[in-house]
Amino acid sequence: MSALNNPVIAVIVSLVIAVGYFTFVDHYLMDMQGLDYWYL
Amino acid sequence: MGLLTGKRVFSIMALCMMVGLLLLPIVIALPSPAIGEEAPAGDAAKKDGDKVEKGRDVYYKTEGIVVGAPAPKTTDGPKDYPRYNFESRVLIWFANQQHLYYGSFVLAVPIFCMIIEFMGVVTKDKALAKRYDQLAYDFIKISLTAYSLTAILGGILIFTFLTLYPAFFGYLSSIFRPVMHIYALMFVAESGTLYIYYYGWDKMKEGFLKWIHLSMSVVLNIIGTLLMFLANSWIGFMMSPAGVDEQGRYLGNIWHVIHTALWNPLNLHRILGNMAFGGGVVAAYAAYKFLAAKTDEDRAHYDWMGYIAMALGVAFLIPLPFAGYWLMREVYAYRQQMGITLMGGLLAWLFIIQATMIGILFLSSNYYLWQAMGRMRGAEKYQRYIKYLVFLLICGFLVFITPHTMVMSPAELKAMGGQQHPVLGNFGVMSAKNGGINVMITTTVLSFIWYMRGNKVSTVSWAKFGNIFMGVFFACAYINIIWLAIYGYYIPANVRVGLSVPQVATTLSCLFFMFALNSVMMRGAKQMGAIEWGKISVRSQYALIMLATAFTWMMALMGYIRSSVRLFWHVNEIMRDNSPWAYTHTVGFAANMISFNVLFFWISILFVFWMGSLGAKKVPVEAKAGIPGSVPQPAASH
C-alpha cells in the first residue's frame, strides 16, 4: 500500500484505471445500442 | 405493558387498514375492464344483429371491439365552449397550474418525511435522531395545510373544466371511466393515511411502534405516487393517445389508454421534478425563517433544515435532466414533428429560457454549497479552487443555452447570415449541449464531495492514493464528456445520438463511485472542528430562495410547453380544439402568465406557512448561543 501512496505511481495507476474504465463504458454502451463507437 | 401491547395491536391494525385501502381500488377495478368490454359490445350486437364493430388502435395497432363514442367534433359556441367575458384557456391554465404546484408539493413532502424519519430511526446518535424526527414532523405539518388547499384547488379545477370545456371533459372522463373511481378512492386512502400518520406521530415514537409508523409513510407514498401516475395518464393520453381508434372511440382496453408512449417518461420526470421542487420550497421556507430568526438557536435550526431540504432537492435535481432527455427522446420517437416544434420550431425560444433556468438552478446550488463551506473549519483549503469550478460551470452553461434553430423574421435571418449563426450555431447542436449539461452536473457532484469532506481529514492508510485517484477520475470524466461532445461533430447523426448514453454514464459514475469512495475514505476521519450551524452568510439563504423560485418558474414553463405542443388539438390528432383560443400564445404573454402563476403560488404558500406557524409556539430553549459547533435544539415541541 505504501507504494501506491507514491504520487507518481498513484497517478499512473489512477490513469490506467480511469482511462480503461471510460473507454470500456464508451464502447460497451454504444455497442449496447447497436452503434459503433470506433466508427471514425 | 398491557397498554403497549394494546398500542401495538392498534398500530398494526391501522397499518393493515392502510394497505387494505391501497388494495381496495385495485380489487374493485379488476372486473371493470371485462364488464366494459362485454356490456357495450352486447348492446351493439343486439342492435346490429350479432354484428360487432371493430376498430384499430391508433398507437398499438391492435384490433379491438368499439366500446365508446367517437370524440366530439366541437364548434365554437356556447354549447361546446361556454365562457365568461374572458379567455377560458387562461382561466384553466391558472387553475391547473396552482393545483399542480400544490399537488406536487404535498406528494414530495411525505417522501421527504419518509427519508428523514428513516434517517432518524437508523441514526445511533440519540440527539441527532431526535432532531431528524422533529424535522420530519415539521415537514408533515407544513404539508397538512397545503394538502387541504390542494383538494380545494382540485375541486376548482374540475368545476372550471365542467364550466368552460364540457365537451372535452366529458370525452376524457368517458375514456377514463374504468379508472375514474380508482382515482377518487385513492384520494380517500391518501387522506385517511395522511391523517393517521400525522396524528399518530407522538403515540408511536418508540421501538417497534416507530417502525410501524415508518411503514405507514411508505404506504402513504405508494398511494401518492399511484395517484400521480393516474393523473399523468390523462396528460399522456392527450399528447400521445392510445387505446382508441382514429375517430377516438374507446376499444375496451384501459391499460392501452393509460400506458401511452409518453406515460412512463412523464412518470419518472414528474417524480424527480416533484422531489426537487418540494426540496426547493422547504429550503426557501427554512431560508425565510433563518433570515427572520432572532436567536442563534433558531438560526442554527433553520440553517440545518435548509441544508437538508436543499441536499434532498439537489439529489433529485441531478438525475432530472437525464429523465427530461429520455422524455424528449420518446417525444421524437412518437412524433418527430412534435419534437421539432418543441426544440427547433414554434416553442424553441421557450426551450432556451428553460436551459437558462436549469443553468441558474445548478449555479445557485453550487453557490450555496460553496457558501456552506464557511460554516466548517478546514474547508478553507478548497476556497482557492472554487474559481476553476465557476469557470467550468459557466463554460457548460454558455454552451447549454446556445440556440440552434430558431423561428426568425426575414430581417433577423438576413442580419445573421442564415438560419444558424456561422460561429455560435456550432455550439447549439445536441452533442455540445449534452456535454455542457454533463459538465455542470459533474461539477455539482464535485462541489458536494468537497462539502462532505470540508472539515475532515482522512486517516486511512491509502488516503494519499485515494485523493489522487479521485482527482484523476474526475479529470478523466471531464475529458471523456468533452471528447464525446466534440466527437459527435465528426460522425453521422444516427451514431451521434447514441453518444448521450456514455456521457450520462460518465456523470453517474462520478456520482456513485466517488460518493462511495469518499464515504469509505472519511470513515473515522479526523474532524477539524464541528459544523457551526447558523454561521453562514445571508447570501446563501438568498441563493436558496433563488433556487426555489427558479424551480417554480421552470415547472410552469415546462407545463406550458408540454401543453402547447399539442397546438390546436385537445387530444393529439383525435379531438380538435375549435375554441377561439386554439392558437399558440406569444412567448411574452406566456412568460407573463408563468410569472403571475409563480407569484400567486408564493404569496399563497407564504400564507400557508404563516398559518402553520400559528399553531407552533416555541418552547423556550436554554441559551447556548455562541458555542462553536453547538448542536441546534429542536425548535418546537409537538
Side-chain angles (χ1 to χ4, degrees):
Chain A
M1 194 57 81
S2 60
L4 271 181
N5 280 332
N6 178 323
V8 177
I9 294 173
V11 167
I12 292 168
V13 169
S14 301
L15 270 173
V16 168
I17 294 172
V19 171
Y21 171 74
F22 286 124
T23 307
F24 168 74
V25 162
D26 291 354
H27 167 81
Y28 178 74
L29 290 178
M30 289 293 277
D31 192 52
M32 210 172 69
Q33 301 172 82
L35 301 168
D36 182 9
Y37 174 63
W38 308 101
Y39 177 88
L40 194 67
Chain B
M1 190 66 197
L3 181 66
L4 188 66
T5 313
K7 264 189 186 178
R8 277 187 173 204
V9 170
F10 276 120
S11 60
I12 292 168
M13 278 170 64
L15 183 63
C16 290
M17 192 182 78
M18 287 176 183
V19 176
L21 279 171
L22 175 63
L23 296 175
L24 181 68
I26 298 165
V27 171
I28 289 174
L30 280 177
S32 182
I35 291 167
E37 274 170 21
E38 285 162 17
D43 291 348
K46 273 177 206 161
K47 280 177 197 164
D48 303 338
D50 290 328
K51 194 181 143 209
V52 172
E53 192 179 0
K54 290 200 164 186
R56 191 175 166 80
D57 191 316
V58 287
Y59 175 67
Y60 285 101
K61 307 298 180 196
T62 52
E63 295 264 308
I65 298 168
V66 172
V67 171
K73 290 186 177 4
T74 55
T75 50
D76 178 14
K79 182 176 155 288
D80 292 327
Y81 299 106
R83 67 201 69 167
Y84 302 110
N85 288 329
F86 199 75
E87 185 179 331
S88 296
R89 181 171 48 166
V90 168
L91 294 173
I92 203 93
W93 184 349
F94 173 71
N96 234 323
Q97 189 60 63
Q98 294 305 318
H99 179 58
L100 201 80
Y101 275 147
Y102 276 94
S104 60
F105 181 66
V106 298
L107 283 178
V109 170
I111 299 178
F112 278 10
C113 281
M114 179 179 71
I115 295 169
I116 294 168
E117 193 181 8
F118 177 73
M119 283 158 72
V121 168
V122 297
T123 301
K124 291 188 175 69
D125 181 344
K126 287 281 184 195
L128 189 61
K130 197 175 174 186
R131 281 168 56 202
Y132 276 133
D133 200 63
Q134 175 68 42
L135 187 64
Y137 185 82
D138 283 349
F139 276 13
I140 204 80
K141 202 166 52 181
I142 293 169
S143 80
L144 214 66
T145 316
Y147 187 77
S148 46
L149 203 51
T150 309
I152 292 166
L153 285 164
I156 289 172
L157 177 60
I158 285 185
F159 282 120
T160 314
F161 264 125
L162 288 171
T163 309
L164 301 177
Y165 289 91
F168 161 71
F169 195 69
Y171 173 66
L172 201 67
S173 50
S174 75
I175 294 289
F176 282 93
R177 183 186 54 81
V179 287
M180 275 299 188
H181 61 290
I182 295 184
Y183 187 82
L185 285 170
M186 280 287 183
F187 202 76
V188 173
E190 166 100 346
S191 306
T193 309
L194 180 65
Y195 284 116
I196 294 170
Y197 178 67
Y198 174 71
Y199 288 110
W201 202 291
D202 269 348
K203 301 278 184 197
M204 306 167 72
K205 59 183 177 190
E206 296 294 337
F208 175 74
L209 289 175
K210 189 66 185 167
W211 282 102
I212 293 281
H213 192 255
L214 193 56
S215 308
M216 286 178 179
S217 73
V218 175
V219 176
L220 174 66
N221 285 310
I222 291 172
I223 295 170
T225 307
L226 286 176
L227 264 173
M228 190 187 66
F229 283 4
L230 277 174
N232 291 349
S233 69
W234 309 334
I235 58 166
F237 178 79
M238 287 166 70
M239 282 179 82
S240 55
V244 293
D245 67 5
E246 73 282 357
Q247 293 177 51
R249 297 180 299 182
Y250 175 47
L251 300 178
N253 188 334
I254 190 65
W255 180 240
H256 280 184
V257 172
I258 291 172
H259 189 194
T260 57
L262 302 180
W263 186 51
N264 275 325
L266 279 167
N267 285 340
L268 181 67
H269 197 53
R270 276 194 157 181
I271 282 184
L272 295 173
N274 284 353
M275 294 297 292
F277 168 72
V281 172
V282 174
Y285 165 74
Y288 164 74
K289 297 289 274 186
F290 176 94
L291 293 170
K294 297 278 190 289
T295 66
D296 282 354
E297 282 85 359
D298 274 1
R299 253 188 293 276
H301 177 76
Y302 289 116
D303 182 16
W304 181 67
M305 184 177 182
Y307 166 70
I308 296 280
M310 192 281 316
L312 283 171
V314 171
F316 289 94
L317 168 68
I318 286 172
L320 193 55
F322 305 142
Y325 184 81
W326 180 40
L327 174 58
M328 282 311 300
R329 227 174 129 147
E330 292 299 322
V331 165
Y332 269 95
Y334 173 72
R335 285 285 184 280
Q336 191 181 22
Q337 187 51 51
M338 196 186 260
I340 291 167
T341 303
L342 282 165
M343 302 195 77
L346 193 62
L347 304 169
W349 268 119
L350 294 167
F351 257 86
I352 299 302
I353 299 173
Q354 182 230 13
T356 310
M357 299 306 279
I358 290 173
I360 289 170
L361 288 179
F362 280 104
L363 283 168
S364 303
S365 46
N366 275 283
Y367 180 76
Y368 176 82
L369 285 169
W370 302 333
Q371 288 292 310
M373 284 187 205
R375 57 163 101 96
M376 48 176 87
R377 284 181 204 162
E380 302 83 15
K381 58 182 179 265
Y382 294 119
Q383 289 291 343
R384 60 185 167 147
Y385 299 117
I386 283 173
K387 55 182 173 289
Y388 302 117
L389 293 195
V390 174
F391 177 75
L392 282 170
L393 276 172
I394 295 297
C395 285
F397 180 44
L398 290 176
V399 170
F400 193 53
I401 62 170
T402 304
H404 187 250
T405 312
M406 309 302 301
V407 175
M408 286 184 282
S409 67
E412 288 169 330
L413 267 172
K414 196 178 169 192
M416 207 162 83
Q419 184 72 47
Q420 275 100 33
H421 189 279
V423 178
L424 292 178
N426 294 318
F427 296 113
V429 296
M430 209 62 224
S431 190
K433 282 174 188 281
N434 276 338
I437 188 66
N438 276 292
V439 162
M440 291 170 80
I441 297 172
T442 304
T443 306
T444 307
V445 171
L446 186 55
S447 286
F448 237 117
I449 285 179
W450 281 2
Y451 177 82
M452 286 164 70
R453 49 166 46 207
N455 63 337
K456 293 173 183 166
V457 175
S458 180
T459 53
V460 294
S461 62
W462 46 276
K464 202 163 193 175
F465 171 72
N467 286 335
I468 289 172
F469 179 73
M470 203 177 269
V472 168
F473 195 87
F474 266 106
C476 287
Y478 279 120
I479 291 166
N480 193 42
I481 289 166
I482 294 165
W483 145 249
L484 288 170
I486 295 168
Y487 187 38
Y489 285 89
Y490 296 94
I491 53 179
N494 63 335
V495 183
R496 181 195 310 145
V497 75
L499 290 178
S500 62
V501 180
Q503 275 182 325
V504 168
T506 303
T507 303
L508 291 179
S509 297
C510 285
L511 179 67
F512 294 121
F513 294 156
M514 294 300 104
F515 262 75
L517 177 63
N518 190 54
S519 58
V520 170
M521 284 180 72
M522 291 302 137
R523 234 174 245 169
K526 193 174 83 178
Q527 287 248 353
M528 306 287 283
I531 296 176
E532 299 175 36
W533 294 106
K535 301 275 176 69
I536 190 168
S537 71
V538 168
R539 297 191 305 279
S540 67
Q541 303 303 303
Y542 289 117
L544 286 184
I545 293 169
M546 175 80 174
L547 193 69
T549 310
F551 266 131
T552 320
W553 210 92
M554 210 167 96
M555 263 178 84
L557 173 75
M558 299 318 288
Y560 169 67
I561 289 175
R562 188 192 49 69
S563 293
S564 56
V565 76
R566 281 180 285 110
L567 303 175
F568 46 81
W569 297 100
H570 284 312
V571 178
N572 197 32
E573 298 167 8
I574 296 288
M575 183 181 178
R576 203 185 159 104
D577 181 352
N578 289 314
S579 73
W581 310 292
Y583 65 91
T584 303
H585 271 299
T586 60
V587 172
F589 181 88
N592 284 334
M593 188 65 200
I594 289 163
S595 295
F596 173 72
N597 267 313
V598 170
L599 272 175
F600 189 90
F601 170 72
W602 277 104
I603 290 167
S604 63
I605 203 152
L606 278 175
F607 176 71
V608 168
F609 290 157
W610 176 74
M611 290 272 284
S613 70
L614 289 180
K617 290 297 172 208
K618 292 191 187 318
V619 172
V621 285
E622 283 180 38
K624 285 185 184 172
I627 303 170
S630 65
V631 173
Q633 302 300 309
S637 69
H638 55 82

